[in-house]
């Protein structure tokens, strides 16, 4: 063993590479079953996630669907679509709204989910725990269309529960037209999102908490740690890695619709002319000026922009996590 | 060695599975394509020559029941079955997806701007050869032949068969489906059916009623609602034009200058200022419902259906479901009656227009249709008087009766059925009829083409409260509440002028709409002292948009219509 190591050291670098390649080949050989199992997934990912990327070409065209349309007989317009996207006078506010609401959602959903999970974790009566959990995650399963209607009914000036409550508590004198005032929109968004998502988000943390070694708690108890201390020094550090992975994933969705970041449905369903200055996000803008107007190129350009920002954010947060010595996603 | 053999086996397995999957896909495709033209596979007894026509209806709707009487008859006698697809959610989105995939059903029923999108994409086949073929398509030729210039698109082909506006015999305009200020009959009744001419009188009356009845059915009375839904922009934006005596031309008003027409956008002009100033006052008087600015369309309809909204500005077809719902609840006094309100008495109202041909609305045949000749044959057949009678009136003896003079009439039960949405799904080919080319006016027998416009039937079918209202105003029909409309201008209506997709004008137009929907509600809610200042700001924002380009587009298209459509209809 040692001999061969020595030998390799004295040989030329080409040979080193050869041995490396051989090593790699060995690893591949060793894991060939795993490799084969991943082939269908790779094919799936290629077909659905990479192959459609050729559609990005559309962003540099003035794409018009028509009978003989292909990707290559369209008019090429260079960066015109991006120029239009960035120079629309309200692009600034669209971007502000997107990021603003995403950040609100990110922070609120993490804090509330972790707090709820911590509290549920402390409940020892299984029945009570399950009941609370079920009630809190029920709203997650109704679609945003219905949820938005519930929200708008609750906020109505016409016997809406929120206005009725605030008026009878003498907090306000007259019902407020919540949805018509742009300044309330982000707040409504944050609260509605928490209401809808918190129970479901907490499940993941509860799972992480369940996997913490009970010995740690016992040991801490013997050392005289109270509830708060145990939460602070055992539970929270125990879910840290889960937290970081989720954070990285959620940051990727800062500009997009998926992953509960909520950059589209809520704003689309509850956005009104009078609150548009604070409700229009990139996705809503793209729908209105891109897809609805048959301007697919603009929609593609906006999509590309979002993807690029998302990828850079993921790398950024990932890098941070690495620096802090935490688990990473990539 | 053994290992590599196993590898090979695994490899082969994967390939095998994949090829199975792929070939299954392909087979499916072939079957899917075949089953519509060759329904033998379905194994139905009578299905040997039943042709299935996939039909897209570009609005929300409900699929008729499987045992629908009329569709059954069509299937038995003409050997076709229509498979409907309705829009769920956003029409533009659905159309966009359809176009980018090139995945069209056989028959596409359009009703507004989406028509242009389809035509631009080359989705429709030209129909002029069918229309000009009097031998094989006699009914279509009779129907559209004289109008071929009008329905021809700028590129020289006719693509869409307009569903409204082709008249036969006498055309009675008994009721309006267009724009008007609508008021609850109860309000007029309460004050002894006063003469209402101006906007001020209209709001005074509403206010008087509100004072007298602050609650209706235990809920607060609502004076006036405005739907502010971006996709249905007229309830917010269009009222000023009609108040100023212009017919409904959409977002423009058209003046005749010498022999030429001049179209102008009006959302920032003084007529609009006058209207919104009044609305602003009314908002602070508690007449205009604050919820107007946060409601969506469904909430709007449900609010109107509650019967506590006194007035609104809208087009009847847009809120008719609320009217029908009030009818079903037997709240007849809470149903709406149109009033042709104008700014002041010197203005003649022009709400009611003679029925026009909407060139963007109706059925078109897609390029994917397997047998366009056959589909056109069927449409031609359905345009026959007998079929039209069945589609519009129903079956003789079941849906209507014939008196000794050969005039059609109905019993109250038949009328109630006719008005019931649920009954319609089982006993009428409603959605098909809506989009099909149809006869309007009178049949050769002298009967009106549909019960709604048969004068005797119309009057008999009215509710007592409406009959009382009409006789109080000394008229027989709702249409007579309006000034008798003059001949339509040749180009009319300008709202059917399309702004090309992807053009700078289209974006400018959308910007204008955005400005209106953002700032008008704010202006209405702002304090009255702030109004002037906000209006000035609003005009400024409007003028920053290239309005001239949009107006130029309208004027160009109006001129084209004047040139192509000839001096008279």
């Amino acid at each position: 063993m040692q001999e061969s190591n020595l030998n390799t050291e004295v040989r030329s670098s080409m040979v080193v590479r050869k041995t490396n390649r051989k090593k790699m080949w060995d690893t591949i050989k060793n894991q060939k079953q795993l490799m084969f199992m991943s082939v269908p997934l790779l094919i799936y990912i290629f077909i659905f996630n990479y192959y459609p990327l050729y559609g990005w070409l559309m962003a540099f065209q003035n794409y018009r669907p028509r009978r003989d349309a292909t990707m290559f007989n369209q008019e090429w317009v260079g960066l015109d679509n991006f120029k239009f996207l960035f120079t629309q006078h309200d692009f600034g506010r669209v971007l502000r709204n997107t990021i603003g609401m995403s950040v609100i959602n990110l922070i609120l959903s993490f804090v509330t989910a972790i707090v709820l999970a911590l509290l549920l974790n402390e409940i020892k009566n299984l029945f009570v725990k399950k009941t609370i959990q079920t009630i809190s995650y029920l709203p997650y399963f109704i679609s945003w269309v219905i949820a938005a209607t519930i929200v708008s009914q609750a906020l109505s000036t016409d016997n809406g529960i929120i206005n009725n409550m605030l008026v009878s508590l003498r907090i306000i004198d007259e019902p407020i037209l919540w949805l018509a005032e742009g300044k309330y929109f982000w707040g409504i968004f944050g609260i509605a999102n928490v209401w809808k998502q918190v129970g479901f988000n907490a499940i993941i943390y509860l799972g992480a908490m369940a996997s913490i070694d009970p010995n740690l708690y016992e040991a801490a108890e013997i050392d005289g740690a109270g509830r708060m201390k145990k939460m602070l020094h055992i539970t929270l550090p125990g879910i840290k890695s889960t937290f970081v992975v989720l954070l990285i994933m959620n940051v990727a969705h800062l500009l997009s619709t998926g992953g509960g970041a909520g950059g589209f449905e809520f704003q689309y369903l509850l956005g009104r002319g009078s609150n548009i200055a604070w409700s229009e996000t990139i996705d809503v803008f793209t729908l209105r000026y891109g897809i609805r107007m048959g301007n697919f190129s603009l929609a593609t350009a906006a999509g590309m922009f979002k993807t690029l920002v998302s990828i850079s954010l993921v790398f950024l947060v990932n890098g941070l996590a690495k620096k802090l010595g935490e688990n990473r996603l990539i | 060695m053994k290992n590599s053999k196993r590898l090979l086996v695994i490899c082969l397995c994967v390939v095998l599975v994949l090829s199975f999957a792929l070939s299954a896909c392909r087979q499916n495709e072939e079957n899917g394509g075949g089953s519509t033209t060759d329904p033998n596979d379905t194994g139905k007894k009578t299905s040997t020559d039943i042709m299935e026509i996939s039909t897209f209806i570009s609005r929300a709707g409900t699929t008729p029941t499987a045992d629908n009487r009329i569709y059954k008859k069509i299937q038995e006698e003409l050997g076709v079955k229509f498979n409907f697809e309705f829009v769920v959610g956003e029409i533009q989105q659905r159309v966009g997806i359809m176009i980018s995939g090139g995945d069209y059903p056989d028959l596409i029923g359009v009703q507004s701007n989406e028509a242009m999108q389809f035509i631009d994409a080359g989705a429709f086949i030209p129909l002029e050869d069918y229309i000009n073929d009097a031998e094989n398509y006699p009914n279509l030729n009779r129907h559209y032949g004289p109008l071929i210039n009008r329905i021809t698109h700028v590129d020289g082909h006719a693509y869409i068969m307009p569903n409204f506006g082709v008249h036969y015999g006498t055309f009675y305009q008994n009721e309006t489906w267009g724009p008007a200020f609508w008021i609850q009959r109860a309000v007029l009744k309460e004050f002894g059916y006063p003469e209402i001419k101006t906007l001020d009188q209209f709001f005074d009356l509403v206010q008087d009623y509100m004072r007298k009845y602050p609650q209706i059915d235990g809920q607060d009375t609502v004076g006036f609602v405005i739907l502010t839904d971006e996709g249905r922009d007229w309830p917010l934006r269009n009222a000023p034009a009609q108040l100023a005596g212009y017919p409904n031309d959409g977002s423009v008003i058209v003046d005749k200058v010498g022999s030429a027409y001049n179209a102008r956008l009006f959302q920032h002009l003084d007529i609009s200022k006058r209207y919104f100033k009044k609305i602003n006052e009314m908002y602070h008087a508690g007449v205009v419902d604050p919820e107007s600015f946060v409601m969506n369309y469904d909430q709007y309809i449900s609010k109107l259906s509650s019967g506590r909204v006194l007035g609104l500005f809208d087009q009847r077809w847009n809120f008719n479901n609320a009217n029908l719902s009030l009818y079903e609840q037997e709240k007849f006094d809470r149903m709406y009656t149109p009033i042709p309100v104008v700014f002041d008495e010197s203005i003649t109202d022009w709400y009611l227009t003679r029925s026009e041909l909407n060139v963007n609305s109706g059925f078109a045949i897609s390029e994917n249709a397997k047998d366009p000749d056959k589909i056109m044959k069927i449409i031609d057949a359905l345009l026959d008087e007998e079929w039209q009678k069945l589609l519009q009136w129903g079956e003789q003896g079941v849906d209507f009766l014939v008196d000794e003079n050969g005039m059609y009439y109905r019993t109250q039960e038949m009328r109630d059925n006719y008005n019931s949405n649920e009954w319609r799904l089982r006993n009428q080919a409603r959605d098909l009829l809506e989009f099909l080319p149809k006869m309007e006016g009178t049949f050769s027998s002298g009967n009106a083409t549909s019960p709604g416009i048969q004068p005797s039937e119309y009057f008999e079918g009215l509710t007592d409260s409406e009959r009382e209202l009409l006789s109080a105003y000394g008229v027989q029909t709702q249409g007579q509440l309006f000034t008798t409309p003059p001949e339509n201008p040749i180009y009319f209506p300008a709202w059917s002028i399309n702004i090309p997709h992807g053009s700078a004008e289209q974006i400018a137009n959308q910007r204008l709409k955005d400005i209106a929907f953002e700032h008008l509600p704010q202006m209405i809610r702002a304090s009255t002292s702030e109004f002037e200042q906000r209006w000035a700001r609003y005009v400024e924002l409007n003028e920053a948009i290239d309005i001239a380009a949009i107006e130029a587009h309208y004027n160009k298209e109006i001129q084209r219509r004047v040139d192509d459509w000839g001096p008279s209809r």
Side-chain angles (χ1 to χ4, degrees), chain A residues 1-2 8 28 39 44 58 63 77 79 101-102 108 126 133 160 163 167 189 203-204 217 238-239 260 276 289 299 311:
Chain A
M1 195 60 183
Q2 246 181 7
T8 27
I28 291 178
V39 164
Y44 173 87
M58 248 196 243
Y63 184 87
V77 294
L79 293 173
M101 280 188 260
S102 285
L108 275 183
L126 208 62
Q133 212 179 335
N163 275 318
V167 170
F189 168 79
I203 290 179
I204 300 170
Y217 288 106
I239 59 169
I276 195 167
Y289 278 83
I311 291 179

Side-chain angles (χ1 to χ4, degrees), chain A residues 155-170:
Chain A
L155 295 173
S156 164
T157 50
D158 198 10
N159 265 329
I161 182 169
I162 304 280
N163 275 318
N164 280 359
M165 203 169 72
L166 293 178
V167 170
S168 46
L169 290 174
R170 305 283 152 100

Side-chain angles (χ1 to χ4, degrees), chain A residues 96-97 100-101 104 182-191 278-279:
Chain A
R96 176 201 67 194
N97 292 340
M101 280 188 260
I104 287 181
K183 59 185 177 206
Y184 299 132
F185 196 84
W186 290 14
I188 297 170
F189 168 79
I191 295 169
W278 295 92
S279 67

Side-chain angles (χ1 to χ4, degrees), chain A residues 88-265:
Chain A
Q88 269 297 305
H89 86 275
D90 45 10
F91 183 74
R93 81 178 192 195
V94 167
L95 197 62
R96 176 201 67 194
N97 292 340
T98 313
I99 295 175
M101 280 188 260
S102 285
V103 169
I104 287 181
N105 183 38
L106 194 68
I107 294 171
L108 275 183
S109 65
F110 270 107
V111 173
T112 53
I114 291 174
V115 169
L116 182 70
L118 278 177
L119 294 177
L120 283 175
N121 199 41
E122 294 301 316
I123 297 177
K124 297 290 175 250
N125 183 329
L126 208 62
F127 176 74
V128 175
K129 185 175 170 178
K130 291 278 170 214
T131 313
I132 295 178
Q133 212 179 335
T134 310
I135 292 174
S136 67
Y137 74 57
L138 266 185
Y140 178 83
F141 294 102
I142 46 176
S143 83
W144 263 121
V145 178
I146 297 164
T149 312
I150 296 176
V151 169
S152 87
Q153 289 293 351
L155 295 173
S156 164
T157 50
D158 198 10
N159 265 329
I161 182 169
I162 304 280
N163 275 318
N164 280 359
M165 203 169 72
L166 293 178
V167 170
S168 46
L169 290 174
R170 305 283 152 100
I171 293 173
I172 52 175
D173 300 329
E174 279 198 354
I176 295 175
L177 207 52
W178 297 100
L179 282 173
E181 304 273 358
K183 59 185 177 206
Y184 299 132
F185 196 84
W186 290 14
I188 297 170
F189 168 79
I191 295 169
N193 245 319
V194 167
W195 162 67
K196 191 160 163 3
Q197 316 275 7
V198 66
F200 195 78
N201 289 342
I203 290 179
I204 300 170
Y205 293 109
L206 275 176
M209 287 172 192
S211 65
I212 296 174
D213 188 351
N215 288 335
L216 290 176
Y217 288 106
E218 275 168 36
E221 232 162 272
I222 292 166
D223 287 347
R227 252 194 188 178
M228 293 307 277
K229 280 259 149 70
K230 274 191 281 175
M231 270 197 223
L232 203 65
H233 296 295
I234 297 171
T235 319
L236 280 181
I239 59 169
K240 200 159 92 184
S241 54
T242 314
F243 171 78
V244 171
V245 170
L246 284 179
L247 181 72
I248 296 172
M249 278 164 69
N250 277 320
V251 163
H253 290 303
L254 262 187
L255 288 190
S256 72
T257 56
F264 178 69
E265 283 130 316

